[in-house]
Amino acid sequence: MRKVLFLLITVFISCTVFSQNFSLKGVLKDTSEKRLLQYGSISLLRQKDSVLVSFTRSDATGAFELRNVPPASYILLISYPGLAEYADLIEAKKDDDFGTIPMITKAMALQNVIVHGGGAIRIKGDTTGYMADSFKVKEGATVEDLLKKLPGIQVNKKGEITAQGEKVEKVLVDGEEFFGDDPTLATQNLNASVVKEVQVYDKKSDQATFTGVDDGIKTKTINLKLKDDANKGYFGKLNLAGGLPNRWENTAMINRFRQKKKMSAFGIMGNTGKVGLGWGEERQYGGGSGVEMNFSDDGASMSFQSDNEFGGMDNYNGEGLPSAWMGGFSYGNKWNADKNNINGSYRFQKQRVTGGSNNISQYILPDTQYFNNQRSQSATSKYRHKANLSYEVTLDSSQSLKFTANGFTGQTNSGNTFYSEALTGKGLPVNQSNRSSNSLATNSGFNSSVLWKKKLKKKGRTVSVNLAETYKDNSSDGQLLTYNSFFKGGVLTSRDTTDQKKQSDYTGLTINSKIAYTEPIGQKGIVELSYAYNISNSESKKLSFDKRDGKYETLNGSFSNDFKFNIKTHVAGAGYRFTDKKYNFGFGGNIANADWKQMDLFKDTVRKYNFTNLFPRANFQYKISQYSRISFNYDGNTRAPSLNQIQPVADNSDPLNVYKGNPNLRQSFSQNFRLSYNDYKVLSDRSIYTSIGFSPTSHDFGTLDVIDSVGRKTYQTVNVDGNYRINFNIYSGFKWAKPDVRIGLSGNGNISRNNGFLNGLKNVHNNTSFNFNLSFDKNVDKKYDLSIRNELGYNISKSSIRPDVVTKYWTYEPTLDIGVELPWKIQLNTDINYSWRQKTSVFDNNNNVVLWNARIEKKLDMKQNIKLGFKVNDILNQNLGFSRVINSNFVSEKNYDVIKRFWLVTLSWNFSKGPRKEEEW
């Protein structure tokens, strides 16, 4: 009787359990050969730990069925010989029929992502895609917060992004520029919740994208693909914050998207150092009187980079107390079946920064050492208007025309005061200086280009023509007043005074033209032939007027010059690319002949030079599997000296450190080798990225320093050989399944050698630095999120003139970031960062800092989009501006004013709405 009863209970329990389980079925089909697939392998893995739950094979009709599947979240994994794997995240809640499941070839998989719904990282060609919802961030997080969670991507305190070991220059939104080329506008103002995928890739030039032949011009780019809902309505945010002592931070942004039409507007104002502080376009346009001409890697184009005698419109780097205002709008649209594409934006920026700093330096000379202490105060205000426009039209099925233009105009007003003293190793004075300067500078620039592309009848045969111009116009007026005292053995021996008016004017125009032709070679190869002709004309006038009888009318010839620099360049190029299923490679290069003409209008002298330069390039990529590849890149490029470096005039804006141009400078030639490897495992969510690069430079630009007995330094740029740089990056990230913790391990290092001359002796400076990071991330939805970072750094520096003087130190920065969801719709966030810097024999001050910030917010509405909050920055009031610089013959440590403790009452609103009716737009 007991056995019968036990059997009945067992049968009852089995039936009950079985009744709660489900059946999953489908049919496998080859999309290329249109055939049903027999004996395909179907695996069902538990999502949380990837444990195999069920397995079967398809029958002769391609059908399969997994029976008795318990309710849970699973990974459905299907494989078939010769075809790409299929993976999908599924929820077993009922009997389910997946219908026909398409299986594609591995070759097609290299061009198309086949992981549907599953997998945090996807690789398509040369693009790495991160599925945003796979990386948990706290509610209300920005895109910048999301990027900090992604493997292989780092974001520093300035908002600068590094991806796969390279600095990101552009952030696009759905493939289009977002208010020009300032990456922080997108990363710091768009909400992470609207992003579907973050794509990282090397953006090629328009011409290389069209022809398929690499021209060596690449820009590390992030593209933010928005969710479908974001592209069918409007979304945005409004943040209002005010508090003490006199702190405010307000931002507003609205984005209205309807299919291909996109409109955005924003406004930002604040004085907390968090918003409106990006002025990155200076790299593109230049802001001063000295301009460096950079040839592109293929030698086919040139660009300018400027420096200003009194300081230009540089990015805010955390130094000083800023106030910023910024606003703008953008518009983009595609119509006529995407044959017409327009994108434009306008932005206004205004900024004021005040502050002071203290700098301690140790100068290492062949026979002695001396120390320099400096105190400074500065105030800078500036504004700028900037606009961008691009328009592309498809003329017919074989040709298109693209026009781009961007420009800006602005003004900078700056004033600075300095006090410095040089001391011997025994503390005796060597010199003392009181210096003040001010300047008013206007800056403007305009770039434009036209690109015509034409496909000929034979597939792969194309022709393209590109015309581009760049114009700059910068001028400044300033005042310099300096009182210097000099000592010998601690006894005052002499004094001098400099009281001058400064004028600086620079104009520059470049015109670049290029024609390219491609021809297919076989089924998998393509060759490109090109010719370019470029003209660059620039003039720099620097005038210094000494004060006489209360007037600044006496021209000082030692510090004045009018200089013209003209370059004409012919460039011939050839390249070849071969593409196969598993690998692709390309090689080629350009040869450029440049005529230089340097005209010193003060001395009525002309110097002419002729250079022939080679720009080789090669790359190779092997696809080990769909998610694993190894690649090698090489390129060589020539860099011309800046106009400031060759203009034969002394710059005495700091009379104790006088720079003079060197008209005998030649071009430098750099070679860049990089080997990289990346691998991703879908089921274990494990990623690895590593790269190593080596860059030697011949005829590099080094410095010749001459320091006299009273500490005055004169220096100029000279050509040197033997400089090189080695750098590496490695990242490994994986998910610890049982506690559901994401772990990241990363490291990077730089080894460099730089040559120069000091008081007639050759000086070889070797510097090595390493950084290691260990991170832990844990998220429990609607409960809490936890992030822990540990960064350890080491730096060692040594110069050949004094091998007995070695500078080395460790740094350590642990960070804890916690967000907790409390009852009554309250959210608490706090982060603590500890910065430890090892003391040295020179820098023995305590610069260790604990930064503790906290924020509490209450959600006010049912949708939890409106929040009222209170936050405190730097609770312990320990924030400290700090930096260290190591150079060939000196090391320095700088402390500067920064924003310290403050509190804010905050009100934020993240809003969105789906598509409207047609007549409402």
Side-chain angles (χ1 to χ4, degrees):
M1 184 65 182
R2 290 180 179 179
K3 291 183 179 179
V4 174
L5 182 60
F6 178 76
L7 180 61
L8 290 174
I9 293 173
T10 303
V11 172
F12 175 77
I13 294 174
S14 299
C15 292
T16 303
V17 173
F18 182 78
S19 67
Q20 294 176 343
N21 294 347
F22 309 110
S23 172
L24 307 175
K25 59 184 179 179
V27 178
L28 307 186
K29 187 175 183 179
D30 182 352
T31 58
S32 60
E33 299 182 6
K34 309 298 182 183
R35 61 188 176 97
L36 299 174
L37 300 176
Q38 185 180 9
Y39 304 127
S41 173
I42 298 95
S43 303
L44 193 67
L45 297 91
R46 197 160 54 203
Q47 182 182 337
K48 64 180 181 179
D49 53 15
S50 300
V51 172
L52 182 66
V53 175
S54 183
F55 174 83
T56 189
R57 289 189 180 275
S58 58
D59 60 21
T61 64
F64 69 89
E65 184 175 8
L66 297 168
R67 300 177 179 175
N68 199 25
V69 178
S73 300
Y74 296 100
I75 300 173
L76 179 65
L77 183 64
I78 303 173
S79 60
Y80 192 87
L83 299 180
E85 291 183 341
Y86 175 98
D88 198 357
L89 281 185
I90 62 172
E91 294 285 340
K93 298 180 179 179
K94 62 179 181 177
D95 293 336
D96 206 345
D97 186 347
F98 301 113
T100 301
I101 296 178
M103 302 294 289
I104 63 177
T105 64
K106 291 183 178 180
M108 188 180 297
L110 295 175
Q111 302 298 323
N112 299 278
V113 179
I114 65 165
V115 181
H116 303 280
I121 302 177
R122 303 177 177 183
I123 297 177
K124 179 183 178 182
D126 296 329
T127 300
T128 301
Y130 302 87
M131 307 312 297
D133 288 342
S134 299
F135 300 88
K136 299 297 182 181
V137 293
K138 53 193 173 187
E139 191 174 335
T142 64
V143 169
E144 183 173 285
D145 297 321
L146 172 63
L147 295 179
K148 293 177 181 179
K149 299 276 188 177
L150 304 185
I153 297 180
Q154 295 86 38
V155 183
N156 66 16
K157 296 178 181 179
K158 304 176 188 178
E160 297 171 338
I161 308 165
T162 301
Q164 300 169 346
E166 299 179 49
K167 185 175 181 180
V168 173
E169 301 289 349
K170 281 185 176 293
V171 174
L172 308 178
V173 177
D174 278 338
E176 302 291 344
E177 287 193 352
F178 192 72
F179 289 100
D181 53 5
D182 182 358
T184 61
L185 269 178
T187 60
Q188 295 180 358
N189 292 286
L190 287 180
N191 198 296
S193 62
V194 303
V195 178
K196 177 181 180 181
E197 183 180 0
V198 177
Q199 298 176 331
V200 180
Y201 60 98
D202 289 318
K203 187 178 186 299
K204 300 177 182 178
S205 67
D206 290 335
Q207 193 153 328
T209 302
F210 171 67
T211 63
V213 180
D214 189 3
D215 58 6
I217 302 175
K218 296 179 180 179
T219 304
K220 183 63 72 175
T221 300
I222 286 178
N223 179 40
L224 305 174
K225 287 192 67 176
L226 303 184
K227 294 177 179 177
D228 293 339
D229 290 344
N231 276 316
K232 296 178 182 178
Y234 67 85
F235 65 94
K237 71 174 185 178
L238 175 67
N239 293 328
L240 303 175
L244 294 175
N246 190 28
R247 295 293 164 198
W248 34 272
E249 182 180 295
N250 305 310
T251 63
M253 174 173 283
I254 184 170
N255 305 274
R256 175 181 272 186
F257 294 171
R258 178 181 174 270
Q259 296 180 352
K260 304 298 177 62
K261 184 185 294 184
K262 301 179 180 180
M263 294 175 286
S264 300
F266 78 96
I268 295 173
M269 58 184 293
N271 65 354
T272 64
K274 305 291 185 183
V275 294
L277 299 170
W279 293 71
E281 293 84 354
E282 282 311 298
R283 295 185 178 183
Q284 180 178 353
Y285 293 100
S289 55
V291 178
E292 178 180 342
M293 276 148 287
N294 295 309
F295 289 94
S296 64
D297 290 343
D298 64 354
S301 64
M302 289 175 287
S303 63
F304 290 100
Q305 185 170 337
S306 302
D307 50 71
N308 190 302
E309 187 173 5
F310 289 107
M313 298 166 67
D314 297 327
N315 279 342
Y316 173 74
N317 61 0
E319 180 176 346
L321 309 175
S323 300
W325 299 261
M326 181 162 59
F329 61 86
S330 72
Y331 174 82
N333 194 14
K334 295 180 181 180
W335 68 95
N336 192 18
D338 291 353
K339 292 181 180 179
N340 300 79
N341 181 9
I342 190 169
N343 191 284
S345 68
Y346 162 79
R347 186 162 78 241
F348 172 76
Q349 292 172 271
K350 181 180 178 181
Q351 180 177 304
R352 176 176 172 81
V353 180
T354 61
S357 66
N358 293 285
N359 196 83
I360 303 172
S361 300
Q362 177 193 34
Y363 285 83
I364 306 167
L365 304 182
D367 54 354
T368 186
Q369 298 180 54
Y370 75 92
F371 301 87
N372 186 278
N373 301 318
Q374 179 176 286
R375 298 190 302 270
S376 67
Q377 292 287 330
S378 64
T380 301
S381 62
K382 53 190 176 182
Y383 71 83
R384 179 169 59 194
H385 301 269
K386 180 165 189 294
N388 301 272
L389 176 67
S390 67
Y391 174 70
E392 185 170 11
V393 56
T394 301
L395 302 175
D396 56 40
S397 60
S398 66
Q399 60 180 329
S400 66
L401 188 67
K402 183 177 182 179
F403 169 78
T404 63
N406 50 68
F408 84 94
T409 180
Q411 183 174 288
T412 301
N413 193 345
S414 62
N416 305 276
T417 61
F418 301 88
Y419 170 77
S420 67
E421 59 179 9
L423 305 172
T424 67
K426 296 181 180 180
L428 297 176
V430 177
N431 63 56
Q432 294 175 348
S433 177
N434 282 282
R435 175 166 51 100
S436 63
S437 65
N438 61 77
S439 70
L440 178 64
T442 58
N443 308 273
S444 60
F446 180 75
N447 293 349
S448 63
S449 67
V450 177
L451 174 63
W452 174 73
K453 302 178 292 186
K454 170 73 174 177
K455 295 180 180 179
L456 303 179
K457 290 184 178 181
K458 185 176 180 179
K459 183 179 180 180
R461 181 179 292 170
T462 68
V463 62
S464 59
V465 177
N466 188 30
L467 296 174
E469 66 83 28
T470 301
Y471 175 74
K472 319 271 185 313
D473 186 355
N474 307 320
S475 63
S476 68
D477 289 283
Q479 206 84 19
L480 174 67
L481 177 61
T482 304
Y483 300 99
N484 297 322
S485 301
F486 302 97
F487 301 82
K488 186 173 183 180
V491 179
L492 178 66
T493 58
S494 63
R495 289 190 174 96
D496 68 29
T497 301
T498 301
D499 189 357
Q500 292 179 340
K501 179 181 178 181
K502 299 282 189 178
Q503 291 181 351
S504 175
D505 294 283
Y506 168 82
T507 57
L509 174 68
T510 66
I511 298 176
N512 301 319
S513 62
K514 181 178 179 180
I515 182 170
Y517 172 81
T518 64
E519 179 71 23
I521 304 296
Q523 296 295 319
K524 302 176 181 179
I526 188 170
V527 66
E528 180 190 66
L529 302 175
S530 65
Y531 168 76
Y533 178 64
N534 308 309
I535 299 174
S536 170
N537 296 325
S538 57
E539 180 176 0
S540 175
K541 181 184 292 186
K542 295 182 178 182
L543 303 177
S544 295
F545 297 91
D546 291 330
K547 187 176 183 180
R548 294 287 188 274
D549 300 326
K551 297 181 180 180
Y552 297 95
E553 296 178 346
T554 305
L555 183 67
N556 189 317
S558 298
F559 304 107
S560 301
N561 188 257
D562 190 354
F563 197 77
K564 285 187 176 181
F565 188 19
N566 297 337
I567 303 177
K568 296 179 180 179
T569 311
H570 298 267
V571 186
Y576 175 76
R577 174 154 293 281
F578 180 89
T579 304
D580 199 15
K581 295 179 181 179
K582 297 286 290 185
Y583 64 92
N584 64 80
F585 66 87
F587 59 87
N590 288 359
I591 185 169
N593 180 264
D595 283 314
W596 285 16
K597 186 177 181 181
Q598 301 175 8
M599 291 164 282
D600 189 333
L601 302 184
F602 267 32
K603 298 180 179 179
D604 195 22
T605 60
V606 177
R607 306 181 70 168
K608 296 181 179 181
Y609 305 91
N610 184 274
F611 299 97
T612 299
N613 302 308
L614 183 65
F615 300 85
R617 61 181 183 271
N619 55 71
F620 174 82
Q621 184 180 85
Y622 180 74
K623 301 174 182 177
I624 302 170
S625 67
Q626 181 186 355
Y627 295 101
S628 180
R629 64 196 63 205
I630 187 170
S631 60
F632 171 78
N633 289 274
Y634 164 79
D635 66 74
N637 61 83
T638 296
R639 185 161 66 103
S642 72
L643 184 53
N644 192 52
Q645 289 173 323
I646 64 173
Q647 186 172 2
V649 61
D651 176 7
N652 70 330
S653 54
D654 179 359
L656 296 181
N657 295 274
V658 176
Y659 178 80
K660 187 174 183 179
N662 179 8
N664 297 312
L665 282 176
R666 297 293 185 266
Q667 300 177 99
S668 68
F669 179 73
S670 298
Q671 301 182 81
N672 303 290
F673 304 83
R674 180 162 291 275
L675 180 67
S676 60
Y677 167 78
N678 65 278
D679 179 68
Y680 177 63
K681 300 296 184 185
V682 177
L683 298 181
S684 61
D685 195 11
R686 191 268 294 155
S687 58
I688 293 176
Y689 176 83
T690 183
S691 71
I692 184 169
F694 174 59
S695 301
T697 303
S698 57
H699 305 301
D700 201 4
F701 302 135
T703 305
L704 187 154
D705 295 335
V706 177
I707 302 176
D708 63 20
S709 60
V710 291
R712 283 178 301 206
K713 182 175 77 172
T714 58
Y715 61 105
Q716 67 177 175
T717 304
V718 294
N719 292 116
V720 296
D721 289 314
N723 287 3
Y724 66 80
R725 181 171 59 91
I726 301 172
N727 64 85
F728 74 86
N729 291 271
I730 184 169
Y731 175 86
S732 177
F734 60 93
K735 199 168 188 178
W736 188 3
K738 192 171 182 179
D740 192 25
V741 174
R742 185 178 295 276
I743 299 176
L745 294 163
S746 64
N748 62 79
N750 289 277
I751 302 172
S752 63
R753 169 171 289 184
N754 292 285
N755 291 267
F757 297 90
L758 177 61
N759 287 353
L761 298 177
K762 183 178 180 180
N763 186 23
V764 181
H765 176 232
N766 292 289
N767 187 78
T768 302
S769 62
F770 297 100
N771 284 279
F772 303 94
N773 194 297
L774 173 63
S775 64
F776 303 90
D777 291 279
K778 168 74 174 178
N779 177 274
V780 178
D781 194 29
K782 297 183 180 180
K783 290 186 178 181
Y784 69 88
D785 60 84
L786 171 67
S787 177
I788 300 174
R789 299 282 187 274
N790 292 274
E791 184 172 345
L792 181 67
Y794 179 71
N795 200 306
I796 181 170
S797 174
K798 184 167 63 174
S799 297
S800 61
I801 58 169
R802 289 296 301 272
D804 58 314
V805 181
V806 180
T807 300
K808 55 183 178 181
Y809 58 90
W810 289 89
T811 61
Y812 176 54
E813 289 197 21
T815 302
L816 174 65
D817 193 340
I818 305 173
V820 181
E821 293 285 346
L822 301 175
W824 306 294
K825 298 181 181 180
I826 295 176
Q827 186 177 44
L828 175 66
N829 290 274
T830 185
D831 60 88
I832 303 174
N833 174 267
Y834 174 62
S835 297
W836 174 80
R837 295 110 171 182
Q838 184 182 14
K839 296 180 182 180
T840 70
S841 58
V842 180
F843 311 128
D844 56 0
N845 292 329
N846 180 14
N847 287 300
N848 302 330
V849 171
V850 177
L851 285 179
W852 181 18
N853 308 311
R855 182 177 77 251
I856 187 169
E857 291 180 312
K858 163 70 175 173
K859 301 167 186 174
L860 301 180
D861 63 327
M862 294 298 296
K863 294 184 179 180
Q864 303 183 12
N865 292 327
I866 302 177
K867 300 178 184 178
L868 178 66
F870 178 81
K871 72 176 183 179
V872 183
N873 185 79
D874 188 20
I875 293 174
L876 303 179
N877 205 31
Q878 289 191 12
N879 195 15
L880 178 68
F882 172 86
S883 66
R884 278 180 181 168
V885 176
I886 300 177
N887 212 316
S888 58
N889 67 320
F890 75 89
V891 293
S892 68
E893 183 175 279
K894 186 177 184 180
N895 294 106
Y896 47 84
D897 288 342
V898 291
I899 298 172
K900 300 178 79 69
R901 181 168 56 201
F902 64 87
W903 60 264
L904 295 172
V905 176
T906 65
L907 178 66
S908 64
W909 177 31
N910 287 314
F911 56 88
S912 63
K913 190 173 180 63
R916 295 183 174 186
K917 295 180 181 179
E918 182 73 22
E919 61 269 17
E920 292 185 90
W921 289 86

